[in-house]
Amino acid sequence: MQNDVVSREECLEARRALLAKEKEATRLRDSVNAARLALPWVKVDKDYLFESPEGRKSLADLFDGRSQLLIYHFMLGPDWDAGCTGCSFLSDHVDGALPHLNHHDVTWVAVSRAPLDKIAAYKQRMGWKFPWVSSFGSDFNFDYHVSFSPEDLAKDKVFYNFTPMQPADANDELPGLSAFYRNDKGEIFHTYSSYARGPEELIGTLMILDRAPKGRNEDSTMNFVRRHDEYQEAPKAPSCCH
């Protein structure tokens, strides 16, 4: 793989053309962010309970004294042996952001339907610090359209990413990110959810790769990704010294 090799003047012309598109994309992102903040909210009236290392917690408890809560719907089902590779890839980027989020009135929590002991074992294996609770026995994952029962998957369609989709394209667990706000009266509102590739911008490694000479260098979406303890040593580039 090698792109055209041109003069510095020609390269500068091409780079300026790309810069115009990059600025357009930045302005569009700003516009999308503003539209996201302007979305209407839905009040959460249902009581949800989660199992945590500190005991049973309500949705309000997950805010941990802050007014904003981001929940990552991590794909780890009750019968799964390990967490989803893609969810693990995203979660590798979370711990370093926690102090910044917490001091900006935002709490981050991962939620999975796996029982707490399975979550704890996988969290220890990956070396993560972020809060992670179990929604096993709760309707939470089903109400936010990231978990599907055998009965759901036997239907003609399942609802995911705001769209009916073929059950053959679904799974018992799928990824997503949901945001909640808690006001001074203790009322909780669901403000936003994003699914499929929606939370991709949270994965800093992808943003870095997008600027590397070969980009993501993938055959399909994130097909190169492994859990961080499953990578084999990368082959070294050829050298004239060997």
Side-chain angles (χ1 to χ4, degrees), residues 44-110:
V44 180
D45 292 318
K46 195 167 184 177
D47 293 327
Y48 296 106
L49 291 176
F50 306 86
E51 297 294 336
S52 81
E54 298 78 34
R56 186 165 291 187
K57 291 187 176 183
S58 66
L59 183 61
D61 292 331
L62 297 187
F63 282 79
D64 197 22
R66 302 181 181 91
S67 70
Q68 301 168 87
L69 173 66
L70 291 175
I71 287 183
Y72 184 65
H73 303 286
F74 194 112
M75 295 170 62
L76 179 56
D79 302 323
W80 290 33
D81 294 326
C84 159
T85 303
C87 292
S88 300
F89 186 37
L90 184 149
S91 297
D92 280 337
H93 298 77
V94 172
D95 280 348
L98 288 181
H100 307 286
L101 294 174
N102 293 165
H103 284 274
H104 206 56
D105 193 33
V106 177
T107 297
W108 174 282
V109 178

Side-chain angles (χ1 to χ4, degrees), residues 145 148 157-166 195:
H145 307 291
F148 304 92
K157 301 282 186 180
V158 297
F159 190 76
Y160 179 69
N161 202 15
F162 312 104
T163 307
M165 65 184 293
Q166 296 291 335
Y195 304 97

Side-chain angles (χ1 to χ4, degrees), residues 121-185:
Y122 189 65
K123 182 179 178 181
Q124 182 178 17
R125 170 186 165 183
M126 294 288 101
W128 295 326
K129 304 298 183 184
F130 57 80
W132 192 352
V133 300
S134 171
S135 61
F136 186 72
S138 163
D139 293 332
F140 183 77
N141 282 46
F142 298 101
D143 289 350
Y144 288 90
H145 307 291
V146 290
S147 293
F148 304 92
S149 68
E151 291 76 19
D152 293 329
L153 296 173
K155 296 177 182 177
D156 292 336
K157 301 282 186 180
V158 297
F159 190 76
Y160 179 69
N161 202 15
F162 312 104
T163 307
M165 65 184 293
Q166 296 291 335
D169 297 326
N171 198 354
D172 58 334
E173 306 289 336
L174 288 172
L177 179 76
S178 292
F180 300 88
Y181 176 75
R182 187 169 186 257
N183 64 18
D184 292 338
K185 294 189 292 184

